[in-house]
Amino acid sequence: MTNSDLDPRPTSTPHADRVVCADSVGRALLAMAVPPDQRRGDILRHIPVLGRHGGIPEPRRRELLAADAADQAVPLAQIDHIDADAIAAWIVDHHRASAYPAVVVGSAHGAAVHLAAAIGAAWLPTSFTVTAPWPGGDAGDWISAMLWGSHLAERILARNPAVSVRQTHDPVLRGPLCGATVTLNVRWRAVPTAYQTFLASRLTPGGSTVMVRDLRPWPALNGLPGYSFQLGSPTSGWAAADHTLQNRAFRRLLNGVGAVDWPVSGLALRRQYAETSGDPAFEPELRRLATGLGSPAHRVVYTDAQALSAIVADLYRAWLPAPSSGRHCAVVTGRLTDPWAVLDAGMVPYWCESSSRSVTEAAELWLAGSEPFDSISVLPDPPGIANDATASTRHWRGVGAFAHRKAQMDDLIARHYPLLPPAAGHATRHLDEATGERIQPAKLPAAEAVMRLKECSGAPGLLVV
């Protein structure tokens, strides 16, 4: 299909609200990264596509979900007009304070946002997720998805030479939506102008920049300059090698999402950083920029997402005044977290990347090695798709069982888990009700936070420099 085959194209730039995927974890984290009185829009009331049409039998529900996903995606006529610089300005505009003692930049990881809240920092992601319609697609036909996605990526890159695009095709995370849309992760290769202006004008003199980056490898295929493609994602809890018809669990998943087939890969995939990492060219430029501004530049890198969650949770526990530090732990997941509600109540946050069993096991290991908390609130983010690697409500209740006195799992989520994810704002309501205590601790100085992180960074899969 060529450009002339598509709908007539408007000349206006689509607004960031429409461009940045409303269902993405990064979008929810950005909304939650700022204090409640600075939050804008209704994204926190947005029900993800996979959380809709509950109770409708398959395959009719799949049809409705596919239609909703295509309707929510960026219209094909507007793909050429996506402006990554405008997206960066929109991200910066979320942060309303006149000055910040630090800026946390990097991968969309909930613990990084909790760290930013503790030190009073702004959080700036290095990428954003775009979904686009895929007419006539099939969730299992990843080869056709790649061909269609590369065509759309070429159009994005033509307008935005300072980005790269990593397409992901992941039926584990997106299920039937993979047959209606393609997912494109747009990653800045250079620090965008809005970020540069923010650092120069709103970072306090001597304020720190903290780069948090996911360095997990994942097989990917390089296509046209600036474009690459990967099957699956480390955020799902599945390994790259699991995405094969030889894996019975994967076959069952494909059948459940209505996939017709799954071609055998004969492509020359090579291990690269996953889509969550951002573009490798971004970090060295950020360090040069920080050095030029006289800003101490720190680096937090991880190959184990839960290792970062554990170290930030330990940081909170060591920093919060006694006895608050041992009273309440909030085990939060994916989109379902509110760093400011956690902070105001003096909770210790442990962020789970997904609702996979491997993640719940990591949470249990951390809790088993920690001094017991009086109470633990558990907020799993329902994945919207049932598969063999998903943690059950029993697993999540097992996480809460480490509480010395009281375990709380949200009732609404328990009733609808694992198929119907709620709006991200549901986390705020649950966390506000979980404890009546409001201690509102003073901000943790960024230099002290980095020092504490360095002291705890000997864990496998994590490095702080």
Side-chain angles (χ1 to χ4, degrees), residues 321-341:
S324 296
S325 61
R327 284 183 177 170
H328 202 127
C329 177
V331 178
V332 291
T333 311
R335 300 167 308 107
L336 294 184
T337 186
D338 186 336
W340 293 91

Side-chain angles (χ1 to χ4, degrees), residues 15 56 59 74 179 196 258 272 305 310 324 356-357 446 460 463:
H15 193 272
I56 295 178
V74 179
Q196 294 182 35
Q272 304 181 39
S324 296
S356 67
R357 284 204 307 273
L463 176 67

Side-chain angles (χ1 to χ4, degrees), residues 437-453:
E437 186 177 26
R438 292 292 180 269
I439 68 168
Q440 297 181 323
K443 292 293 181 283
L444 174 65
E448 181 181 346
V450 172
M451 179 190 69
R452 289 176 181 264
L453 291 175

